Amino acid sequence: MVSNKELESRPVSSISEHNNMAFDGNVMNSQTCLQSDSKKEKKQSIIGRILNTLWATRQTQDTKEDSDLLIKTTLKELIIYIVFLVIISIVTFGMTNSINYYYTNVLMNLFLEQPDSNDVKFGDIGSIDDFWSVHTGPILDGLYWEKLYNDENVTKSGFIYFENKLLGVPRLRQLRVRKGSCKVHSLFADRSTIKECYDSYSYFTEDQSPFGAYDQFNSTDGENPFRYNSSEQVKAPIIDGTFATYGRGGFVKKLGTKLDETRDMMKKLEENFWIDRGTRAVFLDFTIYNANINLFCQVRLTTEFPPTGGAFPSSTFRTVKLIRYVTPMDYFVLACEILCVIFILYYSIEEILEIRIHKLKYFKEVWNVLDVVILLICYVCIGFNIYRMIEVNSVLKSLLENTNQYPEFDSLSYWQNQFNNAIAITAFLCWIKFFKYISFNKTMTQLSSTLGRCAKDIAGFAVMFYIVFFAYAQLGYLLFGATVEDYSTFTNTLFTLFRIILGDFDFVSLESASRYMGPIYFLSYVFFVFFVLLNMFLAIINDTYSDVKSDIAEQKSDFELGQYFKRGYDKILSKMHIKKDKIADIQKAMEVADADGNSVLNFDEWRVELRKRGYADAEIEAYFSKYDQDGDRNLSAEEQKIMKDDLKNQTKKIDSDMADIKREATMSPDESDEEDNDEDDELSRKANLVSHNEFNILTCRVDTMEASIGNIVNRIDSVLSKLEFIEQAKLKRREAMARILDKLNDANNIQDEAKRAQIQKMIQQELEKWDEPLSVTPSGGLASRAVSPPSYSPNNFEIRHKSPYRQQ
C-alpha cells in the first residue's frame, strides 16, 4: 500500500500511473471478491435457511417489529408441535389396550372371587385358618389346570385357563417379628397373665432367626422355609402394605409344578405351624404370560397379620407388556418411537439455543420450565426402554434354562408400571403445553390470564381455607377414627372431607358413631366450608374472569390468521395474473408480428412488437432463440406451432394453479418464501428470463463497479486540488520575490550598482521560469519541473527555492 504522503511527494505522472494500476487492480479484486462473496453468501444463505427452517422460534428471533415473521414462526412451531403430539399419542396408546383390563379382570375373578368349600373367598380371609383354607383350595385350583372340562388330563401342564402360561413356579414368602419385641405392662407381666409380646413389623423388630421345625426341612438345594433368606438371595421388592412397609428378605418356600405336589407342601407347612403369632405378612407371588395378546401379569396375593390379631388380605395385579415388538402394529409403534426420539433431540437443541440466548431469564417463564421437564422425563423413558429390553431377555433366557425356579419379574413389572405412569404424565403435559402455541389468540389466553391475575387472591384464600379444613380434619379423626372407616386415619379423613365438598358423604355412619357430635360436626362443616368458603372461592374466580374478559375485549390479538391468509391469497392470485398477462402479450405479439404475411415470423418483427410491450432485448432474444431450432433468425410455421402449444400449456397450468389457490394459501408458512423464489426461478427458466439469484449477482457487480468508479473520481478530485494548491503557491512566491526586490532596492548596505543589477536580473529570470506553464505528458498526466534556483546570501541573506511538491 502507498501512503498519502508518498503520493503527494511523487510527480503527477507517477500518480496517474498509480491510479491506472489501482483501477485495474480494483476491477480484478472486485471480480474475485464478487465470486468469493457470492459463494460465501450462498453458503450462509443455505445454512441460515436450514437454521431458520428447523430451529427458528419466537424466542430465538426478534419478532416484535415484524408481524409477518411472528405469524410464520408461530405457525411453524404450531405445525411441528402438532406432528410431535400426534406421534407421542401413538406411542402412548400403542403401549396399552382395552384387552389389558379384560385380562386383569379374568385373573382377578379367578384368584379373588372363587370361594372354597366354606364359601370363603380371598377377600374374606380373616384368620389363619381362612388363609390355609383359601390358599390350599381355590388359589391352588386356579394355579394348576390339570384336568379338562371332561375330566381328561391335559397334554401340557402349567397353563391357566389353557391359554395363560405360568412362568416358573409360585413362591411363598413370610416376614416375622421377634418374640418379646414389645414390652408388657408390669401389672400383667408380674402376675404372669401375659408372658409374650409381638410388636408391629419394622426393620428393628424383624425376626431373622430360625423358628419352628427348621431342622425337618433341610433339602439338597438349601431351601428351608423356616430359615431366613437375605435380600440378596430373595431379590424381592420393598412392599408398602396396609400396616407397614415390608423388607426384601424373608422365609421363602418355592411351590411345585404339579397340583398334588404343591398341596402336600402347603399341608406340611400348615401342620408345622409355619404361620404363628410372630408372622406379620405372607406373600404369594407368581407370574403369568399370555402369548395370544403378548402380555405379562405379575400377581401378588398379600395377607397381613397385624398385632391386633386377625388377617387382612390385599392383592396386586400388574399387567404389563414387557416384550415390545412382535406384531406389525408393534413395529409401526417402533417407527413412531424412533420419530419421537428425533423430535426429542430436535427440541433439546431448540431449548439449548434458547437457554444460550436468554441465560437464566429463560427459566422465569412457566412454559420453558415445562419444556425442560418434558424433555427430562422423555430421556428417562428412553433409558428405561433400553434397560427393559436387555433385562427381559436376560430373565427369560435364565428361566427357559431352568423352569423350576421363580422368575424375577417383580422389579421389572414395577418399573414398567412406573414407566407407563411417566409416559402418561408426559402425554398429559404435552397436551397442556399446546396452550403455549395457541396463546397468540386473545380468546385462548383467558384461562391463563384469569389464573395469573387472581393468583394472589387465591393464595390468601387458600391459607384461610386450609386452616379451617385441617381443623375439621383433625376434629373428625379424633372423634370418629375408632369407629368409622372413612376417618380411621388422618389421610382417609382428608379425602373424606374433600368428598363431602363434592357431595359424596355417609351421614348415617357419623350419626351411628356419635348421636350428637356426628350431626353437629357434619352440619357445621357443610355450612362453613361448602356455603361460605367455597362460594368465596368462586366469587374470586368470577370477579377476576369478568375483568379479564372486559380487558381482552378491548385488546387486539397478537396477529390475525385470517388477514395473514388473505394476504397470501391475494399475493398468489396477483402472481398468477402477472404470469398469465405475460403469456397473453407473447401470444398477441405472435398474431400481429407477421407484417408481411408470409407465415414466417422474423426476429426483427418479433423484436418490434415485444419492445412495444416493454420487454428488454436480452429477454426477447432468449425467448426467440428457445424456439428458433435451425438458428436462421426466423420462426417457421412449425416452430410457431411449437411456441403456441407451449404457451397454451403454460396457460392451462396457470389456470389450474389459480383453481387451487385456496389449498395453496393454507400451505406451511415457513415454505411460502421458498416457494415464491422457486416459482420465480421456474418461470425464468421457462421463459429464459433473469432469475432472482442472477439478478442479485448482477446487482452486486454494479455496486462494485460504482464503488471503483467513485474511487477514481475521488483521486481525480485530489489531483485537481493539488494543481490549485500549486497555483496558489506560485502566487505566494511571486509576492515574496517582489517584497525581496523592494527590500534590495531599499537596502543601504549594498553600494555596488552592478551587483544589485545582477541580483535583480537573476530574480527576474527565476520569476519568468515560474510563470512558464506545466507541460502535459504523453500518458495524460502532468509533468512537473523540479527547478532549484541559485541561492545568494549577501550580508548573510539567503534565498532558497524548493519544489512545490516537496513543500507539501
Side-chain angles (χ1 to χ4, degrees):
M1 297 296 294
V2 182
S3 64
N4 291 332
K5 291 183 179 181
E6 292 176 348
L7 286 173
E8 292 171 356
S9 64
R10 292 182 181 180
V12 177
S13 60
S14 62
I15 295 175
S16 176
E17 292 174 0
H18 174 76
N19 288 337
N20 293 332
M21 294 173 62
F23 175 75
D24 296 336
N26 285 335
V27 173
M28 296 177 63
N29 291 335
S30 64
Q31 294 177 353
T32 306
C33 178
L34 181 62
Q35 295 176 358
S36 60
D37 288 345
S38 62
K39 291 181 180 179
K40 290 181 180 178
E41 289 178 358
K42 189 175 181 180
K43 291 181 180 179
Q44 291 177 357
S45 63
I46 294 174
I47 296 174
R49 183 176 296 180
I50 292 174
L51 293 177
N52 289 333
T53 303
L54 294 178
W55 288 290
T57 65
R58 287 172 290 179
Q59 294 186 349
T60 58
Q61 290 186 335
D62 187 9
T63 57
K64 296 180 180 179
E65 303 292 336
D66 192 348
S67 59
D68 287 343
L69 181 60
L70 175 62
I71 296 174
K72 292 179 181 179
T73 305
T74 303
L75 289 178
K76 182 186 77 67
E77 289 186 78
L78 180 60
I79 292 172
I80 292 176
Y81 189 74
I82 289 175
V83 176
F84 170 69
L85 193 59
V86 170
I87 291 175
I88 201 169
S89 298
I90 294 175
V91 171
T92 53
F93 282 102
M95 296 186 304
T96 185
N97 198 310
S98 59
I99 199 68
N100 293 31
Y101 165 75
Y102 296 110
Y103 183 44
T104 306
N105 190 51
V106 165
L107 296 179
M108 290 178 67
N109 289 333
L110 175 63
F111 293 106
L112 303 183
E113 300 299 328
Q114 300 296 328
D116 64 353
S117 57
N118 298 322
D119 293 334
V120 178
K121 303 176 184 178
F122 178 81
D124 299 330
I125 293 177
S127 63
I128 297 177
D129 290 338
D130 293 339
F131 174 87
W132 290 117
S133 176
V134 171
H135 280 73
T136 56
I139 298 296
L140 294 185
D141 292 337
L143 282 172
Y144 301 96
W145 290 62
E146 298 180 352
K147 296 285 186 181
L148 297 174
Y149 61 89
N150 56 359
D151 288 337
E152 291 185 2
N153 295 328
V154 297
T155 56
K156 292 184 178 181
S157 61
F159 284 89
I160 300 172
Y161 279 125
F162 313 114
E163 299 290 347
N164 307 280
K165 175 62 178 176
L166 178 64
L167 300 179
V169 295
R171 181 183 69 184
L172 276 175
R173 182 168 67 99
Q174 176 187 173
L175 290 172
R176 303 171 53 82
V177 294
R178 295 190 305 273
K179 180 179 179 180
S181 54
C182 56
K183 186 176 181 181
V184 180
H185 195 274
S186 58
L187 290 175
F188 295 95
D190 293 343
R191 299 188 181 187
S192 299
T193 304
I194 300 176
K195 297 181 180 180
E196 299 175 350
C197 178
Y198 295 86
D199 200 357
S200 301
Y201 177 86
S202 68
Y203 175 78
F204 302 100
T205 61
E206 184 179 9
D207 185 13
Q208 299 183 0
S209 59
F211 72 99
Y214 65 90
D215 54 347
Q216 300 180 13
F217 282 83
N218 291 325
S219 58
T220 57
D221 58 359
E223 182 185 277
N224 191 328
F226 292 90
R227 290 185 180 273
Y228 184 80
N229 294 270
S230 64
S231 58
E232 290 78 10
Q233 295 173 316
V234 180
K235 298 180 181 180
I238 297 175
I239 300 173
D240 290 326
T242 305
F243 300 96
T245 299
Y246 301 99
R248 304 180 61 182
F251 300 85
V252 177
K253 177 60 180 176
K254 294 179 184 178
L255 303 183
T257 57
K258 300 292 183 180
L259 176 60
D260 294 337
E261 177 188 0
T262 304
R263 185 162 288 161
D264 291 340
M265 292 181 182
M266 299 286 283
K267 287 292 185 182
K268 194 171 183 181
L269 292 176
E270 181 182 3
E271 292 171 357
N272 288 275
F273 298 100
W274 191 62
I275 299 177
D276 57 11
R277 291 184 60 190
T279 303
R280 286 294 173 262
V282 178
F283 307 99
L284 176 60
D285 299 308
F286 53 91
T287 303
I288 303 170
Y289 173 68
N290 190 309
N292 300 332
I293 54 178
N294 189 28
L295 289 177
F296 290 82
C297 186
Q298 202 277 327
V299 182
R300 176 176 295 114
L301 303 179
T302 303
T303 306
E304 297 180 76
F305 301 90
T308 58
F312 293 86
S314 61
S315 61
T316 302
F317 290 79
R318 293 198 189 102
T319 301
V320 292
K321 188 175 182 178
L322 297 178
I323 302 176
R324 297 280 297 175
Y325 312 114
V326 177
T327 64
M329 183 61 187
D330 294 337
Y331 285 101
F332 172 72
V333 174
L334 174 61
C336 293
E337 289 177 351
I338 295 174
L339 291 177
C340 187
V341 172
I342 294 174
F343 269 101
I344 291 170
L345 295 176
Y346 166 81
Y347 280 114
S348 299
I349 297 174
E350 180 180 294
E351 300 305 317
I352 291 172
L353 292 176
E354 292 178 356
I355 293 174
R356 184 178 180 183
I357 293 174
H358 299 283
K359 308 298 182 184
L360 294 177
K361 294 181 181 179
Y362 172 84
F363 297 98
K364 291 183 178 180
E365 189 173 347
V366 178
W367 294 118
N368 295 335
V369 176
L370 183 61
D371 292 341
V372 175
V373 171
I374 291 175
L375 289 176
L376 291 177
I377 297 176
C378 289
Y379 278 115
V380 172
C381 293
I382 292 173
F384 177 77
N385 258 328
I386 299 173
Y387 162 77
R388 179 193 56 223
M389 185 180 301
I390 298 173
E391 188 66 17
V392 169
N393 292 334
S394 175
V395 173
L396 287 178
K397 183 177 180 181
S398 176
L399 179 63
L400 293 176
E401 292 176 354
N402 183 10
T403 58
N404 292 328
Q405 63 175 335
Y406 174 76
E408 301 292 342
F409 283 103
D410 297 328
S411 60
L412 269 177
S413 62
Y414 172 79
W415 288 112
Q416 177 65 34
N417 198 33
Q418 302 307 313
F419 168 79
N420 294 340
N421 296 336
I423 287 292
I425 294 173
T426 303
F428 170 78
L429 294 178
C430 288
W431 277 102
I432 296 299
K433 184 185 169 183
F434 198 77
F435 283 103
K436 173 183 178 180
Y437 298 101
I438 60 174
S439 60
F440 55 82
N441 190 281
K442 59 184 181 181
T443 306
M444 299 300 177
T445 60
Q446 291 186 8
L447 175 62
S448 59
S449 300
T450 301
L451 295 178
R453 188 172 296 187
C454 67
K456 294 182 179 179
D457 295 334
I458 292 178
F461 167 80
V463 174
M464 177 175 57
F465 173 80
Y466 281 110
I467 289 174
V468 177
F469 187 80
F470 280 108
Y472 271 98
Q474 185 175 4
L475 178 62
Y477 174 64
L478 296 175
L479 290 177
F480 314 111
T483 54
V484 182
E485 182 180 0
D486 290 341
Y487 299 86
S488 57
T489 63
F490 189 74
T491 303
N492 289 344
T493 304
L494 292 176
F495 287 113
T496 301
L497 295 183
F498 275 116
R499 286 163 50 198
I500 291 177
I501 296 176
L502 300 176
D504 181 14
F505 55 86
D506 186 4
F507 176 76
V508 176
S509 61
L510 292 178
E511 188 178 22
S512 302
S514 178
R515 185 176 180 182
Y516 298 105
M517 291 302 298
I520 293 173
Y521 173 83
F522 178 78
L523 294 176
S524 62
Y525 175 77
V526 169
F527 176 77
F528 283 108
V529 175
F530 190 77
F531 288 107
V532 178
L533 295 179
L534 185 60
N535 284 283
M536 286 180 62
F537 174 75
L538 295 177
I540 292 172
I541 297 293
N542 290 331
D543 185 57
T544 307
Y545 178 75
S546 300
D547 295 340
V548 169
K549 191 173 183 180
S550 61
D551 293 342
I552 290 178
E554 299 175 358
Q555 297 176 357
K556 290 185 178 180
S557 299
D558 293 341
F559 56 84
E560 294 293 340
L561 287 178
Q563 296 179 0
Y564 174 75
F565 287 120
K566 187 176 182 300
R567 289 199 303 269
Y569 177 88
D570 296 337
K571 181 179 178 182
I572 296 173
L573 190 62
S574 62
K575 259 186 195 181
M576 295 297 177
H577 283 301
I578 291 172
K579 295 177 183 178
K580 196 170 183 179
D581 292 342
K582 287 184 178 181
I583 296 175
D585 288 341
I586 297 174
Q587 289 174 338
K588 290 179 181 178
M590 290 183 64
E591 293 175 359
V592 301
D594 189 10
D596 51 7
N598 58 356
S599 300
V600 176
L601 184 60
N602 185 268
F603 174 75
D604 295 333
E605 298 171 345
W606 167 268
R607 180 175 175 275
V608 170
E609 291 299 327
L610 287 184
R611 282 289 295 258
K612 292 178 182 179
R613 289 167 172 78
Y615 289 86
D617 289 339
E619 188 176 359
I620 296 171
E621 174 73 25
Y623 201 82
F624 188 87
S625 301
K626 178 180 179 181
Y627 298 98
D628 186 12
Q629 298 177 358
D630 51 8
D632 59 352
R633 309 294 287 175
N634 293 318
L635 293 181
S636 62
E638 183 179 353
E639 292 172 340
Q640 292 182 44
K641 184 178 182 301
I642 295 174
M643 180 185 290
K644 289 180 181 179
D645 294 340
D646 193 6
L647 293 174
K648 287 181 181 179
N649 293 332
Q650 293 183 26
T651 304
K652 290 180 181 179
K653 185 178 184 306
I654 291 175
D655 292 337
S656 176
D657 292 339
M658 292 177 67
D660 297 335
I661 284 178
K662 290 184 179 181
R663 179 183 58 81
E664 294 176 0
T666 58
M667 77 177 79
S668 177
D670 60 337
E671 299 175 355
S672 60
D673 293 338
E674 293 184 12
E675 182 168 342
D676 295 340
N677 295 333
D678 294 340
E679 289 179 357
D680 293 339
D681 295 340
E682 184 179 357
L683 180 62
S684 300
R685 288 192 299 268
K686 288 183 177 179
N688 283 335
L689 305 179
V690 178
S691 66
H692 182 73
N693 293 332
E694 292 175 347
F695 177 77
N696 290 334
I697 295 174
L698 292 175
T699 303
C700 181
R701 290 177 179 175
V702 171
D703 293 339
T704 305
M705 292 178 64
E706 288 180 353
S708 301
I709 293 172
N711 189 15
I712 296 172
V713 172
N714 291 334
R715 294 184 178 276
I716 293 174
D717 292 338
S718 176
V719 171
L720 293 176
S721 299
K722 292 176 182 178
L723 292 175
E724 184 180 359
F725 182 78
I726 292 171
E727 293 295 330
Q728 292 177 358
K730 289 171 65 176
L731 292 175
K732 290 181 180 180
R733 284 173 177 77
R734 291 186 62 181
E735 293 175 358
M737 293 300 296
R739 288 194 297 270
I740 292 172
L741 289 175
D742 293 338
K743 289 181 180 180
L744 290 174
N745 291 329
D746 296 337
N748 296 324
N749 55 350
I750 300 177
Q751 301 298 330
D752 192 352
E753 295 294 336
K755 290 183 177 180
R756 184 181 301 151
Q758 185 181 0
I759 293 173
Q760 290 180 354
K761 184 179 180 180
M762 292 174 61
I763 293 174
Q764 288 293 339
Q765 291 177 355
E766 186 65 25
L767 288 176
E768 289 175 358
K769 291 180 180 180
W770 286 352
D771 289 337
E772 291 179 2
L774 297 174
S775 61
V776 180
T777 62
S779 61
L782 295 175
S784 93
R785 289 187 322 272
V787 181
S788 299
S791 60
Y792 179 72
S793 55
N795 297 328
N796 297 328
F797 183 83
E798 183 179 6
I799 300 174
R800 296 178 181 269
H801 173 69
K802 297 181 180 179
S803 174
Y805 296 110
R806 292 175 183 171
Q807 256 187 345
Q808 294 180 21

